[in-house]
Short mmCIF file of all heavy atoms in Angstrom, two decimals:
data_model
loop_
_atom_site.label_atom_id
_atom_site.label_comp_id
_atom_site.label_asym_id
_atom_site.label_seq_id
_atom_site.Cartn_x
_atom_site.Cartn_y
_atom_site.Cartn_z
N LYS A 59 165.25 75.13 63.73
CA LYS A 59 165.58 73.82 63.87
C LYS A 59 167.22 73.66 64.03
O LYS A 59 167.66 72.54 64.30
CB LYS A 59 165.27 73.07 62.59
CG LYS A 59 163.73 72.89 62.51
CD LYS A 59 163.27 72.38 61.13
CE LYS A 59 161.87 72.36 61.01
NZ LYS A 59 161.36 71.95 59.63
N LYS A 60 167.92 74.71 63.95
CA LYS A 60 169.38 74.69 64.01
C LYS A 60 169.84 74.40 65.50
O LYS A 60 169.29 74.98 66.37
CB LYS A 60 170.04 76.00 63.52
CG LYS A 60 171.62 75.92 63.58
CD LYS A 60 172.21 77.08 62.89
CE LYS A 60 173.69 77.16 63.08
NZ LYS A 60 174.48 75.94 63.28
N GLU A 61 170.80 73.45 65.65
CA GLU A 61 171.32 73.23 66.98
C GLU A 61 171.93 74.57 67.54
O GLU A 61 172.60 75.27 67.00
CB GLU A 61 172.39 72.14 66.84
CG GLU A 61 172.86 71.74 68.20
CD GLU A 61 174.01 70.69 68.16
OE1 GLU A 61 174.40 70.39 67.00
OE2 GLU A 61 174.41 70.27 69.23
N GLY A 62 171.51 74.72 68.78
CA GLY A 62 171.85 75.88 69.56
C GLY A 62 170.96 77.18 69.50
O GLY A 62 171.13 78.07 70.30
N VAL A 63 170.03 77.12 68.63
CA VAL A 63 169.04 78.23 68.51
C VAL A 63 167.99 78.05 69.53
O VAL A 63 167.33 77.00 69.40
CB VAL A 63 168.54 78.44 67.01
CG1 VAL A 63 167.52 79.42 67.00
CG2 VAL A 63 169.75 78.74 66.10
N ILE A 64 167.72 78.89 70.33
CA ILE A 64 166.71 78.87 71.40
C ILE A 64 165.37 79.41 70.75
O ILE A 64 164.30 78.73 70.96
CB ILE A 64 167.12 79.56 72.66
CG1 ILE A 64 168.26 78.96 73.22
CG2 ILE A 64 165.93 79.61 73.58
CD1 ILE A 64 168.98 79.82 74.29
N ASP A 65 165.45 80.54 70.01
CA ASP A 65 164.27 81.14 69.50
C ASP A 65 164.71 81.95 68.34
O ASP A 65 165.76 82.64 68.35
CB ASP A 65 163.57 82.06 70.54
CG ASP A 65 162.23 82.61 70.01
OD1 ASP A 65 161.60 81.86 69.36
OD2 ASP A 65 161.94 83.85 70.28
N ALA A 66 163.89 81.96 67.24
CA ALA A 66 164.23 82.85 66.00
C ALA A 66 162.93 83.37 65.57
O ALA A 66 161.93 82.71 65.38
CB ALA A 66 164.79 81.86 64.94
N LYS A 67 162.98 84.72 65.28
CA LYS A 67 161.82 85.43 64.62
C LYS A 67 162.40 86.21 63.48
O LYS A 67 163.36 86.97 63.62
CB LYS A 67 161.21 86.47 65.71
CG LYS A 67 160.73 85.81 66.84
CD LYS A 67 159.26 85.64 66.89
CE LYS A 67 158.64 85.15 68.13
NZ LYS A 67 158.93 83.93 68.67
N VAL A 68 161.76 86.11 62.29
CA VAL A 68 162.20 86.79 61.10
C VAL A 68 161.06 87.78 60.87
O VAL A 68 159.91 87.35 60.66
CB VAL A 68 162.40 85.82 59.98
CG1 VAL A 68 162.86 86.76 58.74
CG2 VAL A 68 163.59 84.85 60.32
N VAL A 69 161.50 89.06 60.74
CA VAL A 69 160.51 90.06 60.51
C VAL A 69 160.74 90.55 59.06
O VAL A 69 161.75 91.28 58.77
CB VAL A 69 160.71 91.28 61.44
CG1 VAL A 69 159.60 92.43 61.10
CG2 VAL A 69 160.60 90.84 62.90
N PHE A 70 159.84 90.13 58.15
CA PHE A 70 159.93 90.38 56.73
C PHE A 70 160.06 91.99 56.40
O PHE A 70 160.86 92.33 55.56
CB PHE A 70 158.91 89.72 55.98
CG PHE A 70 158.88 90.03 54.45
CD1 PHE A 70 159.89 89.57 53.64
CD2 PHE A 70 157.94 90.97 53.98
CE1 PHE A 70 159.82 90.00 52.35
CE2 PHE A 70 157.91 91.23 52.50
CZ PHE A 70 158.82 90.78 51.82
N THR A 71 159.15 92.70 56.99
CA THR A 71 159.06 94.13 56.64
C THR A 71 160.40 94.84 57.05
O THR A 71 160.75 95.88 56.46
CB THR A 71 157.92 94.71 57.38
OG1 THR A 71 157.98 94.50 58.85
CG2 THR A 71 156.63 94.25 56.82
N ASP A 72 161.12 94.37 58.00
CA ASP A 72 162.40 95.05 58.44
C ASP A 72 163.61 94.38 57.91
O ASP A 72 164.64 94.78 58.13
CB ASP A 72 162.44 95.11 60.09
CG ASP A 72 161.32 95.97 60.58
OD1 ASP A 72 160.82 96.88 59.96
OD2 ASP A 72 161.02 95.73 61.79
N SER A 73 163.37 93.18 57.37
CA SER A 73 164.48 92.38 56.78
C SER A 73 165.49 92.04 57.93
O SER A 73 166.71 92.08 57.78
CB SER A 73 165.17 92.96 55.72
OG SER A 73 164.35 93.11 54.52
N ILE A 74 165.02 91.66 59.11
CA ILE A 74 165.80 91.38 60.23
C ILE A 74 165.30 90.03 60.81
O ILE A 74 164.13 89.61 60.85
CB ILE A 74 165.49 92.47 61.35
CG1 ILE A 74 165.92 93.79 60.95
CG2 ILE A 74 166.14 92.01 62.72
CD1 ILE A 74 167.41 93.97 60.96
N ALA A 75 166.29 89.17 61.34
CA ALA A 75 166.03 88.04 62.00
C ALA A 75 166.56 88.30 63.46
O ALA A 75 167.75 88.68 63.68
CB ALA A 75 166.82 86.87 61.47
#
Side-chain angles (χ1 to χ4, degrees):
K59 294 174 186 172
K60 180 171 175 28
E61 183 182 3
V63 173
I64 299 166
D65 186 40
K67 299 262 189 295
V68 177
V69 182
F70 172 71
T71 54
D72 296 336
S73 297
I74 294 283

